[in-house]
Amino acid sequence: MDGGNNGGRINVAIDGPAGAGKSTVARRVAAQLGYIYIDTGAMYRAVALAANRAGVLPSDGDRLAELVKTVDITLEPGPEGQIVRLGGENITTDIRSREVTLKVSEIASHEAVRLRLVEMQRKLAAAKGVVMDGRDIGTHVLPGAEVKVFLVASVQVRALRRYQELSESELVPLEQLEQEIADRDRSDESREFSPLVRAKDAEVLDSTELTIDQVVAHILDLCRTKTAEAK
């Protein structure tokens, strides 16, 4: 890569299954590096919310293909993390509802949806200095990312993390969350277009018994090594 054009900045891809802590880790890595954080999962959730509001079923690929052509999603930094807007409306909280969570995997499995959002994501990363998390960043969205991490954790730990994030009105049994996460894993891994799979050059990092600080520190070490090489 040409460090003269980008000041030695690199792109960082953090992939992994639902609930592995990707967003929290990616946000903190970006903040430490002074990079832009791009939550691709939030973009798919925004499409799911837009579809739900428009009465489009997650299984209706044709209508989703039409919807995603005109959907207006913007990401911007906020005092407490990333702000997600749909047509200018702040939907940061709305996209975290269980209704959206249960539909987003099927909606994200449609090729037309992924192609449109991948196009948007690549434009955001073109100038380097981006930390992007998702399920196919290192393999499909940014295959040339200088640092690739595949973040994993046990289903039980991931379910517990999700459980602790639920509001009182959304509480469900922990066992139900474990089943939903296991089902989501199967859906993401088996979808026809751009499935969840580790990039061959990605480092696997198991966060089951690590703190967020430890995970962030490890990724920052990888980034500093690559950044030094880029200069």
Side-chain angles (χ1 to χ4, degrees), residues 48 50-64 67 103 107:
N52 193 50
R53 289 179 173 182
V56 178
L57 295 173
S59 58
D60 194 338
D62 291 339
R63 289 190 65 193
L64 284 170
L67 178 107
K103 293 180 177 179
I107 285 173

Side-chain angles (χ1 to χ4, degrees), residues 42 74-85 89-92:
T74 55
L75 307 175
E76 58 189 61
E80 298 180 4
Q82 193 168 64
I83 295 172
V84 185
R85 296 189 184 276
E89 176 193 351
N90 186 338
I91 59 166
T92 307

Side-chain angles (χ1 to χ4, degrees), residues 65 88 97 114 123 148 180:
S97 70
R114 300 199 75 84
K123 286 180 180 177
K148 298 179 184 179
E180 288 173 2

Side-chain angles (χ1 to χ4, degrees), residues 63-115:
R63 289 190 65 193
L64 284 170
E66 288 303 311
L67 178 107
V68 80
K69 286 179 183 177
T70 58
V71 72
D72 176 26
I73 302 168
T74 55
L75 307 175
E76 58 189 61
E80 298 180 4
Q82 193 168 64
I83 295 172
V84 185
R85 296 189 184 276
L86 181 65
E89 176 193 351
N90 186 338
I91 59 166
T92 307
T93 301
D94 296 340
I95 61 173
R96 300 299 168 183
S97 70
R98 271 185 56 75
E99 187 172 24
V100 169
T101 297
L102 293 173
K103 293 180 177 179
V104 66
S105 183
E106 185 173 1
I107 285 173
S109 70
H110 292 280
E111 183 174 2
V113 174
R114 300 199 75 84
L115 286 173

Side-chain angles (χ1 to χ4, degrees), residues 198-216:
R198 180 180 70 86
K200 292 180 180 178
D201 53 347
E203 176 167 335
V204 178
L205 188 54
D206 190 333
S207 69
T208 300
E209 297 183 4
L210 298 177
T211 65
I212 294 295
D213 286 343
Q214 288 173 321
V215 174
V216 170

